Amino acid sequence: MAGSSLLASQVSAQKQISETSKENTSANASPGRRKLGKLEVSSIGLGVQNMSRTYQTTIPSRPEMHKIIRTAFDRGVTLFDAAEAYGPFEVERILGEALVGIRNKVVIETKFGWNIDQKTGQRLPGLNSRPEHIKEVVEGMLKRLRTDRIDLLYQHRVDPSVPIEDVAGAIKDLIKEGKVLHYGLSEPGPQTVRRAHAVHPVTAIQNEYSLIWRGPETVILPLCEELGIGFVPWSPLGVGFLTGAIDANTRFAPGDIRGAESRFSSDNLPNNLTIVELVKSWATRKKATPAQVALAWLLAQKPWIVPIPGTTQMEHMLENIGAADVRFTADELTQFGTELARIEVKGERLPQMVLAFSNVEAPLKK
């Protein structure tokens, strides 16, 4: 992103963090504990997706990324989220390096499913969840993450050419071998969830969910509640939107996927900023930051929701985990919901070519 508006918003955000959230980001701050299925984790995790390359296409300092991960652990974070597709491969390496010495005290979740050459890292067209490929992918993951098991392994997107029974069967084999402990799905169709769960219990579903995208509320969240599945919102801060770092004058750098999302187009952005104003007003009321309010709202929805905000900045990581200390009363949640219901978000959450991989149902097993 470019422009003086972004710089001004960043300066303002830094000032607000230091002035309003000292208690939330103190050395004693802890995000608490929650359960995804039977897996206990911190109530707020850390997404490490951009630690090899940011949205703005810059390359972060590797030692600084290690430091952020270790500091998050020191402050009580135990859930760390990666994927083979991030890099590809490089984010898993960064996380594995950072967790040396504390591996047994944390939960690592990572994801397979895109068609990536396991020797070269080259992205090939489409998806690949063939059982033999899954098992090859996991061997590479274990090496990159410097571990002997993956705590929670997600299918990153449902493969429309592989029955979910075959995918879940491969995961079940890996669980028997001790190489995987828990199984999850990301952006799946609901019937696929039921079919997968019948083969082996699904621990968590990871979908986009935030104040700017509430799609999971209609089908997926009720399904999770019915089946006892945890829910991990990715992009819980709306790719930075809900922090207040984006305004009507913001323009995105070449290669930044947000520039291809119609919800951030010049036509839709002014309307959608109404949500940011709502979050800012509540941040003032709660003596918190907009990011903390957005995350606290997610935590208040269900006790089995664990957001994984990602960042490459230490201060933002500390700010995010401080959201666990922000509480809504029942009356406040009702009032917030009433105000939120008046706002209609315009535009799609992702480019159409990416959206096509979400809410997919796996083919039936013959």
Side-chain angles (χ1 to χ4, degrees):
M1 291 183 290
S4 59
S5 62
L6 176 59
L7 178 60
S9 67
Q10 289 175 331
V11 171
S12 175
Q14 296 294 332
K15 183 178 180 181
Q16 187 176 17
I17 293 167
S18 61
E19 290 179 351
T20 67
S21 62
K22 288 181 181 178
E23 290 184 5
N24 289 347
T25 59
S26 69
N28 295 320
S30 172
R33 310 289 287 184
R34 291 193 168 200
K35 280 194 173 182
L36 300 172
K38 296 181 180 179
L39 180 62
E40 187 175 275
V41 297
S42 53
S43 60
I44 297 176
L46 177 63
V48 299
Q49 176 180 355
N50 290 332
M51 288 191 173
S52 68
R53 175 187 177 275
T54 69
Y55 288 122
Q56 294 90 347
T57 73
T58 57
I59 308 299
S61 159
R62 203 178 191 95
E64 181 62 18
M65 298 306 98
H66 294 161
K67 186 177 179 182
I68 290 171
I69 292 167
R70 294 295 290 236
T71 303
F73 169 74
D74 291 342
R75 302 298 175 92
V77 174
T78 63
L79 179 65
F80 296 88
D81 179 84
E84 64 157 348
Y86 303 158
F89 302 159
E90 200 58 28
V91 160
E92 288 179 327
R93 293 190 183 106
I94 291 169
L95 182 59
E97 292 161 3
L99 295 179
V100 170
I102 59 171
R103 167 63 188 98
N104 294 333
K105 299 178 181 180
V106 302
V107 170
I108 295 175
E109 58 177 31
T110 191
K111 301 177 280 293
F112 70 88
W114 295 101
N115 195 11
I116 299 171
D117 186 293
Q118 295 301 295
K119 293 183 174 62
T120 66
Q122 180 184 359
R123 294 177 182 269
L124 304 173
L127 301 168
N128 190 345
S129 282
R130 292 178 292 109
E132 63 272 23
H133 182 73
I134 295 172
K135 293 177 180 181
E136 181 185 5
V137 169
V138 167
E139 293 302 321
M141 288 174 164
L142 294 174
K143 292 176 183 176
R144 292 188 293 271
L145 290 164
R146 304 187 182 199
T147 186
D148 61 351
R149 82 281 184 192
I150 296 163
D151 299 293
L152 176 52
L153 181 65
Y154 295 92
Q155 184 182 26
H156 210 154
R157 293 295 186 272
V158 172
D159 191 328
S161 64
V162 180
I164 197 62
E165 291 79 5
D166 292 349
V167 175
I171 302 298
K172 194 172 182 177
D173 290 344
L174 289 163
I175 290 173
K176 288 179 181 177
E177 295 172 23
K179 295 177 180 179
V180 172
L181 302 185
H182 298 271
Y183 167 41
L185 294 160
S186 181
E187 298 279 336
Q191 295 310 311
T192 295
V193 176
R194 292 186 182 278
R195 289 163 54 199
H197 196 68
V199 177
H200 189 278
V202 174
T203 292
I205 290 176
Q206 187 176 131
N207 279 25
E208 182 174 5
Y209 183 39
S210 71
L211 285 166
I212 194 175
W213 170 247
R214 297 170 60 192
E217 293 177 352
T218 56
V219 175
I220 293 297
L221 289 181
L223 181 60
C224 286
E225 189 149 39
E226 175 191 341
L227 299 178
I229 297 173
F231 188 83
V232 177
W234 63 264
S235 197
L237 295 175
V239 287
F241 182 71
L242 297 168
T243 69
I246 296 172
D247 65 22
N249 298 314
T250 297
R251 299 297 178 265
F252 299 96
D256 189 329
I257 191 174
R258 293 173 294 184
E261 296 177 12
S262 59
R263 60 184 174 180
F264 299 138
S265 70
S266 57
D267 290 337
N268 293 326
L269 193 52
N271 171 82
N272 295 342
L273 282 166
T274 309
I275 285 186
V276 177
E277 294 308 312
L278 171 64
V279 175
K280 286 181 176 178
S281 69
W282 276 85
T284 299
R285 177 173 174 173
K286 303 298 288 183
K287 293 183 171 57
T289 67
Q292 289 172 339
V293 167
L295 292 170
W297 177 84
L298 281 172
L299 291 172
Q301 301 311 299
K302 297 291 180 181
W304 35 264
I305 288 178
V306 179
I308 47 168
T311 186
T312 57
Q313 298 183 49
M314 179 71 77
E315 192 158 9
H316 290 171
M317 181 276 291
L318 295 172
E319 175 188 6
N320 292 341
I321 65 174
D325 295 328
V326 179
R327 302 282 193 272
F328 287 95
T329 67
D331 287 344
E332 286 174 336
L333 273 179
T334 298
Q335 182 184 347
F336 192 105
T338 300
E339 295 172 6
L340 182 63
R342 300 191 187 111
I343 303 171
E344 180 183 358
V345 177
K346 296 182 178 180
E348 297 287 352
R349 66 186 178 103
L350 290 166
Q352 282 299 326
M353 64 179 182
V354 182
L355 272 179
F357 292 101
S358 292
N359 198 35
V360 171
E361 299 289 3
L364 296 174
K365 187 173 177 62
K366 297 179 181 179

